[in-house]
Amino acid sequence: SYSFCTLLYSYKVEAMLTDRKRQQLHDDMLQYFEIVGFDEVADTFKRTMQSVPVKQSVTTPALERKYANILRQAKLLSAAEEMNKQLTQQIEELQDPSTVKRTVAKDLLPSRLLHTLEGHGSKKEITSLCFHPAQPLCFSSAEDGKIKVWDYESGEGTGTLLGHEGAVKCISVDNAGERLASSSDDTDIRVFDISSETCIRRLQGHEHTVYHVEWVRPDCHLLVSASRDGEARLWDVANSCVTKIFRSPEGGWMRCARAITNKIFVAEDKIIRSWDISGGNEKLIGYHDHVIEKLAVANEGATEIIRNSIFATPDENGRSGSPENGGKYPEGHFLASAGRDKMIFIWNTSNCSKVMTLGGHKDWVRDIVFHPTGKYLISGSDDGTVIIWSLIDSRKLRSITVQDTSFVSAISYHPAGRYFLTGSSDNQITIHKCE
């Protein structure tokens, strides 16, 4: 420790820094030594650096955040190494046909409860959940107007994002894991810098509750929003301005909006509509018998499975519609919708046909998400259950009772399929390990 301090002065650090900056450097170094338990080094440091008095250490929020970030990066590195092992094993299995059964058997589904969290206001409904794409963090929003940051491995809260003056209805994290967008009862959309926990953009223009906001992927330069004012909007985040407004021809409430490539899909009361982002051409996709709560666009894996499921179904002549029988796979996207009629439908958006019906919940279906592999659709309901649906054969694979006395109001799946979140109407968040 003595030689280390001498080395600093051999480079004439004292000549390069002002007294104030040198004092701050000494304070930060001393605090670090004490935090990591280097007591002897800290004592030697105090005795050696006499040219500028060193104040007694007082832990600062800034230093705590820096140290916490170091721990998060270490966890991230460990998670990356584990993911690399899993991917290597999957590649080996795909190269060896004899291991196909083992590969299928290793699908990651919710298996055991890790943590139950309560951090929002008493009995406040959890409205939205999402994961950080790389770090072991997840986020929750609720009717108390707060956005909480959690370490999903330890189950501990690590921060709070503040700014909204009403219930936060929806949150979304960009692909880089740097920004979080949120929408609220206060009609605002806010964009937060996750690392500093500060609001960096405030987007205004909606005239009523903004039920939904989401990054337009993959570049995440734009946001799409849906509001009770009967409008869906595309926002240029960098310039804090609206680039496109899509208005309901009937003035209905818009509760969810999804944008992909050149399309935007919107849930308006009982109806699903789509618009071309470039041309604005409106099309009716389908409808429910009650209000639609949520939409989800099928990922690549789900798209392939749904296509195969459609064409495996024989027609009246007993022939399937597969390409080898002269059929043609449909172009466009598949869209799942969940409603208060207790039903889940999957739609072929190219020809506006209903291709799959999933029924089994006993109350409103509040949220849906496609499994990262695309093999399953997961739904959460006011009946207190989460159902895992097999898309391969359109059946209920498993039902999990999450809440005995409250509703399942929000769900989210880890991008790599390793964790699963549920939120309830009475302030509880559950974190499940997927195995």
Side-chain angles (χ1 to χ4, degrees), residues 12 115 190 202:
K12 300 185 178 181
H115 306 288
R190 290 179 180 261
R202 183 183 181 187

Side-chain angles (χ1 to χ4, degrees), residues 272-433:
I272 304 169
R273 300 184 190 275
S274 73
W275 281 270
D276 293 332
I277 291 177
S278 57
N281 297 321
E282 183 260 340
K283 182 168 67 173
L284 176 65
I285 300 294
Y287 60 90
H288 280 247
D289 291 336
H290 207 322
V291 170
I292 299 168
E293 288 284 337
K294 203 59 63 81
L295 302 175
V297 178
N299 55 30
E300 290 185 8
T303 298
E304 185 67 20
I305 289 170
I306 295 168
R307 282 176 176 168
N308 291 335
S309 175
I310 293 172
F311 287 101
T313 304
D315 60 18
E316 62 274 12
N317 298 318
R319 290 168 56 85
S320 72
S322 60
E324 52 266 32
N325 283 334
K328 182 181 178 181
Y329 283 149
E331 298 177 355
H333 305 284
F334 292 101
L335 183 73
S337 60
R340 296 182 182 179
D341 56 4
K342 311 172 190 176
M343 301 301 296
I344 300 167
F345 301 133
I346 297 181
W347 308 88
N348 178 350
T349 62
S350 62
N351 59 16
C352 302
S353 63
K354 187 190 300 180
V355 299
M356 199 173 292
T357 298
L358 304 173
H361 280 295
K362 298 177 181 179
D363 211 327
W364 296 0
V365 185
R366 298 285 294 276
D367 204 356
I368 49 175
V369 63
F370 283 96
H371 189 275
T373 64
K375 295 180 180 180
Y376 313 102
L377 183 74
I378 298 89
S379 58
S381 168
D382 280 1
D383 62 14
T385 68
V386 167
I387 293 181
I388 301 171
W389 307 89
S390 170
L391 298 179
I392 296 175
D393 48 11
S394 306
R395 67 182 178 89
K396 180 166 67 174
L397 184 69
R398 185 191 306 173
S399 179
I400 305 170
T401 300
V402 180
Q403 299 292 334
D404 292 326
T405 59
S406 62
F407 307 149
V408 176
S409 54
I411 59 176
S412 183
Y413 227 104
H414 187 273
R418 295 184 291 117
Y419 296 89
F420 177 69
L421 301 174
T422 74
S424 75
S425 58
D426 64 355
N427 180 37
Q428 283 195 345
I429 301 166
T430 63
I431 304 177
H432 298 257
K433 178 70 173 176

Side-chain angles (χ1 to χ4, degrees), residues 114 129 134 147 180 232 234 240 246 250 258 262 290 306 343 408:
L114 287 183
L129 299 164
I147 301 165
L180 180 145
L234 278 177
S240 300
F246 306 91
E250 299 177 8
R258 304 288 190 185
N262 192 39
H290 207 322
I306 295 168
M343 301 301 296
V408 176

Side-chain angles (χ1 to χ4, degrees), residues 173-176 179 215-223 237:
V173 176
D174 68 5
N175 283 356
R179 299 168 297 172
W215 293 98
V216 181
R217 306 180 194 278
D219 54 17
C220 295
H221 297 319
L222 301 175
L223 282 169
V237 177

Side-chain angles (χ1 to χ4, degrees), residues 62 65-66 69 72-73 132 135 137 139 149 158-159 161 177-180 192-198 200:
R65 286 197 296 269
K66 291 177 183 177
N69 190 52
R72 289 177 187 170
Q73 294 301 322
H132 191 283
Q135 298 183 26
L137 299 175
F139 307 86
V149 187
T158 65
L161 308 182
E178 297 174 351
R179 299 168 297 172
L180 180 145
F192 293 86
D193 176 78
I194 293 175
S195 61
S196 64
E197 299 181 359
T198 58
I200 57 176

